[in-house]
Amino acid sequence: MPPNVPLPALPPRPRDSHKASVGRVLIVGGCRGMAGAPALCARGALRAGAGLVTIAVPERIADVVAGLLPEAMVVALPSSDDGALDSSSDDAILPYLDRVDALVIGPGLGRAPQTEEAIWGLLGKAKKPVVLDADGLYAVRGRVADLASRAAATVLTPHEGEAAALLGEVGATTLAARDGREDRAKRLAVRARGICALKGAGTVVTDGTRVFVNATGNPILSTGGTGDVLSGVVAAFLAGLPTTGGDAFGAVSLAVNVHGAAADLLRVRRGDRGTLASEIADALPEAIRALVEGGAAR
């Protein structure tokens, strides 16, 4: 394996920073029974330093999501009778696409056919970096190569099973998918002409050429919602690209490192069981401060 690509430096913010200058994130997610996923993603983005976060969700759950995180703005999208995103939602989201610096598509979004149609419509219209996670990844199975036409960065954040499915490895077991992680991540990055962050112990981040294998993180990340938080962190760092030298690969690597470092801080204090995803999000500022000061694990 080639040497790990070093993380870029993360400087302190200028004194005259304001909420629009440090990055604006749009999260498209949620369906009936899954209101928590986009809220956790937004919490991760805000705790990672995004200045403005907007959550676009089906109208049937908009009030629930708004009550989970008052610091985020909520946009109610047209939804079907079963509470899923409707294919007409693209038109409602369109006015927001030029007002943000990065998007997350997928947390808790569901897998209805009309939702997949809406996701592809968004991918075609969005001119900013997009993070695909969870149901966003499900929507692009079998069509990963279609992402290569996007001008802005596309970031895939699969776990091992999702990566196998995206590569068309039908019937691959989780155990088998743990082998050849770097190769799988590279193939996905090349196919999408983007960046893949293959989650797991030693998350692999690659743009198909450069590789960063993360050293932070521990078993407390093995609980529901931590992937949603990570997607928000990735989007926040992408939205703040000027502070990381404008390099999307470096921004994703930093995000993965900081997410794991937040978990490491909490493990020292409370052991490796029972920590909630929202608590990992809340530990992000301390982990980021350590990175700014040069003390984060590489």
Side-chain angles (χ1 to χ4, degrees):
M1 187 176 69
N4 227 16
V5 173
L7 288 171
L10 188 64
R13 281 183 171 168
R15 190 167 180 270
D16 60 353
S17 296
H18 54 85
K19 60 188 178 184
S21 71
V22 298
R24 300 161 295 182
V25 171
L26 173 64
I27 297 160
V28 183
C31 65
R32 183 176 291 171
M34 294 291 287
L40 282 169
C41 183
R43 193 182 191 102
L46 285 165
R47 288 298 196 185
L52 287 169
V53 175
T54 302
I55 315 173
V57 297
E59 58 190 354
R60 290 176 178 267
I61 65 167
D63 289 345
V64 175
V65 174
L68 294 174
L69 192 65
E71 295 88 349
M73 296 175 288
V74 176
V75 175
L77 302 175
S79 60
S80 58
D81 291 340
D82 61 359
L85 199 68
D86 189 83
S87 56
S88 64
S89 297
D90 286 0
D91 292 336
I93 296 175
L94 198 57
Y96 296 89
L97 294 182
D98 290 333
R99 305 177 192 172
V100 299
D101 303 299
L103 292 82
V104 181
I105 301 175
L109 199 50
R111 299 180 176 182
Q114 68 270 24
T115 299
E116 292 190 29
E117 182 181 342
I119 289 172
W120 277 107
L122 275 175
L123 287 168
K125 295 170 184 174
K127 308 303 180 187
K128 305 293 175 62
V130 170
V131 181
L132 285 172
D133 186 35
D135 295 325
L137 293 171
Y138 182 83
V140 303
R141 72 204 185 288
R143 296 182 59 185
V144 175
D146 291 348
L147 298 170
S149 61
R150 295 195 69 248
T154 305
V155 181
L156 309 177
T157 61
H159 55 57
E160 290 157 347
E162 289 168 332
L166 288 170
L167 290 167
E169 298 174 353
V170 180
T173 64
T174 301
L175 185 60
R178 289 175 185 165
D179 297 325
R181 283 168 49 81
E182 184 180 321
D183 175 66
R184 275 188 174 84
K186 280 185 173 180
R187 282 190 284 146
L188 280 172
V190 169
R191 194 171 297 183
R193 204 171 65 83
I195 298 164
C196 179
L198 179 52
K199 296 182 290 193
T203 293
V204 177
V205 181
T206 180
D207 58 6
T209 303
R210 295 175 292 177
V211 176
F212 172 76
V213 181
N214 189 46
T216 63
N218 62 74
I220 69 171
L221 290 171
S222 51
T223 188
T226 58
D228 301 315
V229 172
L230 174 60
S231 293
V233 180
V234 171
F237 276 70
L238 286 170
L241 273 180
T243 65
T244 56
D247 177 26
F249 169 79
V252 177
S253 300
L254 279 170
V256 167
N257 184 267
V258 163
H259 180 257
D264 290 343
L265 288 171
L266 293 176
R267 188 186 192 188
V268 170
R269 298 169 188 166
R270 56 178 66 171
D272 58 9
R273 289 174 173 83
T275 295
L276 304 179
S278 57
E279 294 172 320
I280 293 168
D282 292 342
L284 286 165
E286 186 177 352
I288 291 170
R289 184 179 73 171
L291 181 61
V292 170
E293 295 174 353
R298 296 288 166 141

